[in-house]
Amino acid sequence: MMTGYIHSFQSLGTLDGPGVRFVVFMQGCNLRCGCCHNPDTWEMNAGELMEPSYIIEQYERNIAFYKNGGITVTGGAPLMQIDFLIDLFTLAKQKNIHTCIDSSGIAYNPNNEDWIKKLDHLMTLTDLVMLDIKHIDPEKHKELTAQPNTNILKFAEYLDKKQVPMWIRHVVVPGITDDPVYLEKLGYFIGAFKNLKALDILPYHDMGTVKYEKLGMEYKLKDVPPMEKSRVPELKKHVLEGIKKRRAELGM
């Protein structure tokens, strides 16, 4: 069995997939999102090395609470440790545990045939992917995350092709990702996917600032105010308009 670099666990998570979840925060990410509240998961080959069987043991300690939930791996970028995920989810499916990957999709590499074969196998063990699209515009995405979004969007297309159930998450940051034009473009893009099961529009918060201070890191969005939750329905409406437009064109 492979070992994986793990940052931490969260028991009884309620925002990380259906039901109550055991959340595994994996270590390592090559995005540098301005709104990230887990910068301590960025460093590769850090955290604590763990075996998949140990994680299953931790899950089973509170198994009664996870009756309608399961295990969610997040990060960091969990797909950067794909061999470990395959072993973990293999054990999980042997025990009939619902499996979810919460990911930005940044690790997706369509040009690496060996990696894609591993991903194909992992997807047979995965019940749900929660895909966090940071920004639909390529240049704006680079400004926000220091990385292009090309392979992230290709990952969404891959999930649709493989018919893996997908939830889309989008954090709305005032002045950065709340432009109605881009929100409708996001909706237009995801509107083509038959595997789309849910859409979460999440208001930006600044609760991660304390963590940056403790780490001695600069918080790039320190001057950006938190998003008012009352704006979420209005902003989500723009995304839904884009979805509706695309589906009308496709006859879906």
Side-chain angles (χ1 to χ4, degrees):
M1 281 278 174
M2 291 289 299
T3 54
Y5 289 97
I6 306 301
H7 175 271
S8 58
F9 299 136
Q10 179 187 352
S11 300
L12 311 181
T14 57
L15 301 174
D16 307 277
V20 179
R21 317 290 299 182
F22 181 71
V23 186
V24 182
F25 289 86
M26 301 187 67
Q27 189 73 34
C29 185
N30 53 5
L31 284 179
R32 293 296 179 264
C33 302
C35 55
C36 180
H37 52 270
N38 292 318
D40 44 345
T41 66
W42 288 352
E43 185 179 354
M44 298 298 298
N45 301 326
E48 186 176 350
L49 276 174
M50 296 182 189
E51 294 185 352
S53 57
Y54 176 76
I55 292 176
I56 297 296
E57 288 172 8
Q58 303 310 302
Y59 168 88
E60 291 181 328
R61 287 185 174 186
N62 294 304
I63 194 169
F65 294 99
Y66 303 129
K67 183 178 180 181
N68 297 313
I71 292 177
T72 296
V73 291
T74 184
L79 289 174
M80 297 184 79
Q81 301 189 62
I82 194 167
D83 294 308
F84 173 80
L85 286 190
I86 289 171
D87 285 352
L88 175 62
F89 280 15
T90 296
L91 288 183
K93 298 320 294 179
Q94 288 172 0
K95 293 178 175 288
N96 200 31
I97 299 171
H98 184 278
T99 54
C100 174
I101 299 173
D102 180 7
S103 172
S104 69
I106 190 60
Y108 181 68
N109 187 353
N111 299 318
N112 185 328
E113 291 185 11
D114 290 338
W115 192 87
I116 289 295
K117 287 179 182 178
K118 292 178 181 179
L119 184 64
D120 289 344
H121 180 41
L122 177 62
M123 289 302 100
T124 66
L125 305 167
T126 303
D127 294 307
L128 174 67
V129 173
M130 302 176 73
L131 180 60
D132 187 355
I133 298 181
K134 310 293 183 180
H135 207 299
I136 192 63
D137 181 80
E139 293 306 315
K140 294 291 185 181
H141 191 276
K142 284 184 181 179
E143 291 175 15
L144 181 62
T145 72
Q147 294 286 349
N149 66 1
T150 307
N151 283 348
I152 292 171
L153 302 185
K154 287 182 179 179
F155 181 53
E157 294 168 348
Y158 166 88
L159 293 173
D160 185 52
K161 181 180 178 181
K162 293 294 181 179
Q163 300 181 347
V164 179
M166 177 175 68
W167 289 10
I168 292 295
R169 285 184 150 186
H170 183 64
V171 177
V172 185
V173 184
I176 298 177
T177 63
D178 62 343
D179 187 319
V181 172
Y182 291 126
L183 291 172
E184 186 167 332
K185 284 184 177 180
L186 171 63
Y188 187 83
F189 173 70
I190 64 177
F193 301 138
K194 295 179 181 179
N195 66 332
L196 180 63
K197 303 301 180 183
L199 169 66
D200 291 333
I201 299 299
L202 307 172
Y204 161 77
H205 63 73
D206 59 1
M207 290 186 286
T209 54
V210 174
K211 189 176 288 187
Y212 281 79
E213 290 173 3
K214 288 182 178 179
L215 294 171
M217 300 171 64
E218 178 188 4
Y219 187 62
K220 295 179 181 179
L221 303 186
K222 59 181 180 296
D223 297 324
V224 178
M227 170 67 70
E228 293 289 340
K229 291 183 179 180
S230 60
R231 289 193 62 200
V232 170
E234 161 211 341
L235 297 170
K236 188 173 184 177
K237 184 178 178 181
H238 295 299
V239 184
L240 295 174
E241 287 173 353
I243 292 175
K244 184 178 179 181
K245 181 179 180 180
R246 187 66 179 279
R247 292 191 166 179
E249 291 178 1
L250 295 173
M252 293 173 63

